[in-house]
Short mmCIF file of all heavy atoms in Angstrom, two decimals:
data_model
loop_
_atom_site.label_atom_id
_atom_site.label_comp_id
_atom_site.label_asym_id
_atom_site.label_seq_id
_atom_site.Cartn_x
_atom_site.Cartn_y
_atom_site.Cartn_z
N ILE A 25 4.42 -13.42 -1.63
CA ILE A 25 4.19 -14.38 -0.55
C ILE A 25 4.28 -15.81 -1.05
O ILE A 25 3.79 -16.13 -2.15
CB ILE A 25 2.82 -14.11 0.12
CG1 ILE A 25 2.65 -14.95 1.38
CG2 ILE A 25 1.68 -14.34 -0.86
CD1 ILE A 25 1.47 -14.51 2.25
N PRO A 26 4.94 -16.72 -0.28
CA PRO A 26 5.00 -18.13 -0.69
C PRO A 26 3.64 -18.79 -0.50
O PRO A 26 2.91 -18.48 0.44
CB PRO A 26 6.05 -18.72 0.25
CG PRO A 26 5.97 -17.87 1.48
CD PRO A 26 5.64 -16.48 1.00
N VAL A 27 3.34 -19.74 -1.39
CA VAL A 27 2.02 -20.40 -1.33
C VAL A 27 2.11 -21.91 -1.48
O VAL A 27 1.09 -22.60 -1.41
CB VAL A 27 1.07 -19.82 -2.42
CG1 VAL A 27 0.87 -18.33 -2.23
CG2 VAL A 27 1.58 -20.12 -3.82
N GLY A 28 3.31 -22.46 -1.67
CA GLY A 28 3.45 -23.87 -2.03
C GLY A 28 3.39 -24.86 -0.90
O GLY A 28 3.27 -26.07 -1.12
N GLY A 29 3.50 -24.40 0.35
CA GLY A 29 3.44 -25.32 1.47
C GLY A 29 4.72 -26.11 1.65
O GLY A 29 5.74 -25.89 1.01
N PHE A 30 4.68 -27.06 2.57
CA PHE A 30 5.75 -27.97 2.99
C PHE A 30 6.86 -27.20 3.70
O PHE A 30 7.07 -27.36 4.88
CB PHE A 30 6.33 -28.77 1.82
CG PHE A 30 7.17 -29.94 2.26
CD1 PHE A 30 6.58 -31.13 2.61
CD2 PHE A 30 8.55 -29.83 2.38
CE1 PHE A 30 7.35 -32.20 3.05
CE2 PHE A 30 9.33 -30.89 2.82
CZ PHE A 30 8.73 -32.07 3.16
N TYR A 31 7.61 -26.37 2.99
CA TYR A 31 8.66 -25.56 3.61
C TYR A 31 8.13 -24.23 4.14
O TYR A 31 8.79 -23.57 4.94
CB TYR A 31 9.76 -25.25 2.60
CG TYR A 31 10.49 -26.44 2.06
CD1 TYR A 31 10.39 -26.79 0.72
CD2 TYR A 31 11.28 -27.25 2.89
CE1 TYR A 31 11.06 -27.88 0.21
CE2 TYR A 31 11.95 -28.35 2.38
CZ TYR A 31 11.84 -28.66 1.04
OH TYR A 31 12.50 -29.76 0.54
N THR A 32 6.97 -23.82 3.66
CA THR A 32 6.39 -22.51 3.98
C THR A 32 4.91 -22.68 4.30
O THR A 32 4.39 -23.79 4.33
CB THR A 32 6.54 -21.55 2.79
OG1 THR A 32 5.68 -21.98 1.73
CG2 THR A 32 7.98 -21.49 2.30
N VAL A 33 4.23 -21.56 4.46
CA VAL A 33 2.78 -21.61 4.55
C VAL A 33 2.21 -22.18 3.26
O VAL A 33 2.79 -22.01 2.18
CB VAL A 33 2.18 -20.22 4.83
CG1 VAL A 33 2.54 -19.75 6.22
CG2 VAL A 33 2.62 -19.21 3.78
N ASP A 34 1.08 -22.85 3.37
CA ASP A 34 0.41 -23.37 2.18
C ASP A 34 -0.63 -22.35 1.70
O ASP A 34 -0.67 -21.22 2.18
CB ASP A 34 -0.23 -24.73 2.45
CG ASP A 34 -1.28 -24.70 3.57
OD1 ASP A 34 -1.72 -23.59 3.97
OD2 ASP A 34 -1.69 -25.78 4.03
N ALA A 35 -1.43 -22.76 0.74
CA ALA A 35 -2.40 -21.84 0.14
C ALA A 35 -3.34 -21.23 1.18
O ALA A 35 -3.56 -20.02 1.20
CB ALA A 35 -3.20 -22.58 -0.94
N LYS A 36 -3.89 -22.07 2.05
CA LYS A 36 -4.86 -21.58 3.03
C LYS A 36 -4.22 -20.64 4.04
O LYS A 36 -4.80 -19.61 4.41
CB LYS A 36 -5.53 -22.76 3.75
CG LYS A 36 -6.46 -23.57 2.86
CD LYS A 36 -7.13 -24.69 3.64
CE LYS A 36 -8.09 -25.48 2.76
NZ LYS A 36 -8.73 -26.59 3.51
N GLU A 37 -3.01 -20.98 4.49
CA GLU A 37 -2.34 -20.12 5.47
C GLU A 37 -1.88 -18.81 4.83
O GLU A 37 -1.91 -17.75 5.46
CB GLU A 37 -1.16 -20.86 6.10
CG GLU A 37 -1.57 -21.95 7.07
CD GLU A 37 -2.37 -21.42 8.26
OE1 GLU A 37 -2.05 -20.31 8.74
OE2 GLU A 37 -3.32 -22.09 8.70
N ALA A 38 -1.45 -18.88 3.57
CA ALA A 38 -1.08 -17.64 2.86
C ALA A 38 -2.30 -16.73 2.74
O ALA A 38 -2.21 -15.51 2.96
CB ALA A 38 -0.52 -17.97 1.49
N LYS A 39 -3.43 -17.33 2.41
CA LYS A 39 -4.65 -16.54 2.29
C LYS A 39 -5.05 -15.93 3.63
O LYS A 39 -5.51 -14.77 3.71
CB LYS A 39 -5.78 -17.43 1.76
CG LYS A 39 -7.09 -16.70 1.51
CD LYS A 39 -6.96 -15.65 0.42
CE LYS A 39 -8.31 -15.05 0.07
NZ LYS A 39 -8.19 -13.96 -0.93
N ARG A 40 -4.84 -16.67 4.70
CA ARG A 40 -5.16 -16.16 6.04
C ARG A 40 -4.29 -14.93 6.37
O ARG A 40 -4.78 -13.93 6.90
CB ARG A 40 -4.93 -17.25 7.09
CG ARG A 40 -5.34 -16.85 8.51
CD ARG A 40 -4.84 -17.87 9.51
NE ARG A 40 -5.38 -19.18 9.24
CZ ARG A 40 -6.52 -19.64 9.75
NH1 ARG A 40 -7.24 -18.85 10.54
NH2 ARG A 40 -6.94 -20.86 9.49
N ILE A 41 -3.00 -15.01 6.02
CA ILE A 41 -2.11 -13.87 6.24
C ILE A 41 -2.58 -12.65 5.46
O ILE A 41 -2.63 -11.53 5.97
CB ILE A 41 -0.67 -14.24 5.85
CG1 ILE A 41 -0.07 -15.22 6.87
CG2 ILE A 41 0.21 -12.99 5.74
CD1 ILE A 41 1.27 -15.79 6.47
N LEU A 42 -2.95 -12.87 4.21
CA LEU A 42 -3.39 -11.77 3.36
C LEU A 42 -4.68 -11.14 3.89
O LEU A 42 -4.87 -9.93 3.79
CB LEU A 42 -3.58 -12.25 1.93
CG LEU A 42 -2.29 -12.73 1.24
CD1 LEU A 42 -2.62 -13.38 -0.10
CD2 LEU A 42 -1.30 -11.59 1.08
N GLU A 43 -5.54 -11.95 4.46
CA GLU A 43 -6.76 -11.42 5.04
C GLU A 43 -6.47 -10.57 6.27
O GLU A 43 -7.22 -9.65 6.60
CB GLU A 43 -7.70 -12.56 5.40
CG GLU A 43 -8.32 -13.23 4.16
CD GLU A 43 -9.11 -14.49 4.49
OE1 GLU A 43 -8.98 -14.98 5.65
OE2 GLU A 43 -9.83 -14.99 3.61
N GLN A 44 -5.36 -10.86 6.94
CA GLN A 44 -4.97 -10.06 8.10
C GLN A 44 -4.50 -8.67 7.69
O GLN A 44 -4.69 -7.70 8.44
CB GLN A 44 -3.84 -10.75 8.88
CG GLN A 44 -4.27 -11.94 9.71
CD GLN A 44 -3.08 -12.50 10.48
OE1 GLN A 44 -2.31 -13.30 9.95
NE2 GLN A 44 -2.92 -12.06 11.72
N ILE A 45 -3.85 -8.55 6.53
CA ILE A 45 -3.20 -7.28 6.17
C ILE A 45 -3.87 -6.56 5.01
O ILE A 45 -3.59 -5.39 4.76
CB ILE A 45 -1.70 -7.48 5.88
CG1 ILE A 45 -1.49 -8.36 4.65
CG2 ILE A 45 -1.01 -8.10 7.11
CD1 ILE A 45 -0.03 -8.47 4.23
N ASN A 46 -4.72 -7.26 4.25
CA ASN A 46 -5.52 -6.66 3.18
C ASN A 46 -4.67 -5.82 2.21
O ASN A 46 -4.87 -4.60 2.09
CB ASN A 46 -6.63 -5.80 3.77
CG ASN A 46 -7.64 -5.38 2.73
OD1 ASN A 46 -7.87 -6.09 1.74
ND2 ASN A 46 -8.26 -4.22 2.93
N PRO A 47 -3.73 -6.45 1.50
CA PRO A 47 -2.84 -5.69 0.61
C PRO A 47 -3.49 -5.35 -0.73
O PRO A 47 -4.61 -5.78 -1.02
CB PRO A 47 -1.67 -6.66 0.40
CG PRO A 47 -2.33 -8.00 0.45
CD PRO A 47 -3.41 -7.89 1.48
N GLY A 48 -2.74 -4.60 -1.55
CA GLY A 48 -3.21 -4.27 -2.89
C GLY A 48 -2.96 -5.42 -3.86
O GLY A 48 -3.79 -6.30 -4.01
N ILE A 49 -1.81 -5.42 -4.52
CA ILE A 49 -1.46 -6.48 -5.48
C ILE A 49 -0.76 -7.61 -4.75
O ILE A 49 0.14 -7.39 -3.93
CB ILE A 49 -0.53 -5.92 -6.57
CG1 ILE A 49 -1.24 -4.84 -7.38
CG2 ILE A 49 -0.03 -7.03 -7.49
CD1 ILE A 49 -0.32 -4.07 -8.32
N VAL A 50 -1.16 -8.85 -5.05
CA VAL A 50 -0.54 -10.03 -4.46
C VAL A 50 0.17 -10.82 -5.55
O VAL A 50 -0.41 -11.11 -6.61
CB VAL A 50 -1.60 -10.94 -3.79
CG1 VAL A 50 -0.97 -12.25 -3.31
CG2 VAL A 50 -2.26 -10.21 -2.63
N ILE A 51 1.44 -11.16 -5.30
CA ILE A 51 2.22 -11.96 -6.24
C ILE A 51 2.65 -13.24 -5.54
O ILE A 51 3.49 -13.21 -4.64
CB ILE A 51 3.45 -11.19 -6.74
CG1 ILE A 51 3.01 -9.88 -7.42
CG2 ILE A 51 4.27 -12.04 -7.71
CD1 ILE A 51 4.16 -9.00 -7.85
N PRO A 52 2.09 -14.39 -5.91
CA PRO A 52 2.51 -15.65 -5.30
C PRO A 52 3.89 -16.08 -5.77
O PRO A 52 4.30 -15.78 -6.90
CB PRO A 52 1.43 -16.64 -5.77
CG PRO A 52 0.89 -16.06 -7.03
CD PRO A 52 0.99 -14.57 -6.89
N MET A 53 4.62 -16.76 -4.88
CA MET A 53 5.96 -17.25 -5.19
C MET A 53 6.17 -18.58 -4.48
O MET A 53 5.29 -19.07 -3.76
CB MET A 53 7.02 -16.24 -4.76
CG MET A 53 7.08 -15.96 -3.27
SD MET A 53 8.32 -14.72 -2.84
CE MET A 53 8.23 -14.74 -1.05
N HIS A 54 7.34 -19.19 -4.69
CA HIS A 54 7.73 -20.42 -4.00
C HIS A 54 6.67 -21.51 -4.18
O HIS A 54 6.16 -22.08 -3.23
CB HIS A 54 7.95 -20.13 -2.51
CG HIS A 54 8.93 -21.07 -1.85
ND1 HIS A 54 8.60 -22.35 -1.49
CD2 HIS A 54 10.22 -20.91 -1.49
CE1 HIS A 54 9.64 -22.94 -0.91
NE2 HIS A 54 10.65 -22.08 -0.92
N PHE A 55 6.34 -21.76 -5.46
CA PHE A 55 5.43 -22.84 -5.79
C PHE A 55 6.02 -23.66 -6.93
O PHE A 55 7.03 -23.29 -7.52
CB PHE A 55 4.03 -22.31 -6.15
CG PHE A 55 4.01 -21.34 -7.30
CD1 PHE A 55 3.96 -21.78 -8.62
CD2 PHE A 55 4.01 -19.96 -7.08
CE1 PHE A 55 3.92 -20.89 -9.69
CE2 PHE A 55 3.97 -19.06 -8.14
CZ PHE A 55 3.93 -19.53 -9.45
N ARG A 56 5.38 -24.75 -7.26
CA ARG A 56 5.82 -25.66 -8.32
C ARG A 56 4.93 -25.52 -9.54
O ARG A 56 3.73 -25.29 -9.42
CB ARG A 56 5.78 -27.11 -7.80
CG ARG A 56 6.03 -28.18 -8.84
CD ARG A 56 6.05 -29.56 -8.18
NE ARG A 56 4.86 -29.82 -7.40
CZ ARG A 56 3.71 -30.32 -7.89
NH1 ARG A 56 3.61 -30.62 -9.18
NH2 ARG A 56 2.68 -30.53 -7.10
N LYS A 57 5.52 -25.66 -10.71
CA LYS A 57 4.75 -25.71 -11.94
C LYS A 57 5.08 -27.00 -12.68
O LYS A 57 6.24 -27.39 -12.76
CB LYS A 57 5.06 -24.50 -12.84
CG LYS A 57 4.25 -24.48 -14.14
CD LYS A 57 4.61 -23.28 -14.99
CE LYS A 57 3.79 -23.24 -16.28
NZ LYS A 57 4.09 -24.40 -17.16
N GLU A 58 4.04 -27.65 -13.21
CA GLU A 58 4.24 -28.88 -13.97
C GLU A 58 4.79 -28.56 -15.35
O GLU A 58 4.73 -27.42 -15.82
CB GLU A 58 2.90 -29.63 -14.09
CG GLU A 58 2.27 -30.00 -12.77
CD GLU A 58 2.94 -31.17 -12.08
OE1 GLU A 58 3.95 -31.68 -12.62
OE2 GLU A 58 2.47 -31.58 -11.01
N GLU A 59 5.30 -29.57 -16.03
CA GLU A 59 5.71 -29.42 -17.42
C GLU A 59 4.50 -29.10 -18.29
O GLU A 59 3.38 -29.48 -17.94
CB GLU A 59 6.37 -30.72 -17.90
CG GLU A 59 7.67 -31.05 -17.19
CD GLU A 59 8.80 -30.10 -17.53
OE1 GLU A 59 8.64 -29.31 -18.49
OE2 GLU A 59 9.82 -30.14 -16.83
#
């Protein structure tokens, strides 16, 4: 699930989706990492 926001759901909205479906393993994607 994407978590970075702007183009997609952000952290809070991603968490809300996950609370709706209660999955097993969650792998975040579509985020930025600093140097």
Side-chain angles (χ1 to χ4, degrees):
I25 189 167
V27 300
F30 194 83
Y31 298 114
T32 69
V33 291
D34 60 14
K36 290 182 179 179
E37 288 299 323
K39 183 64 173 176
R40 185 191 299 271
I41 288 172
L42 296 172
E43 288 172 347
Q44 285 182 276
I45 65 174
N46 191 30
I49 297 170
V50 174
I51 302 176
M53 63 182 185
H54 207 283
F55 58 85
R56 171 176 54 86
K57 181 181 181 296
E58 301 285 2
E59 295 291 348

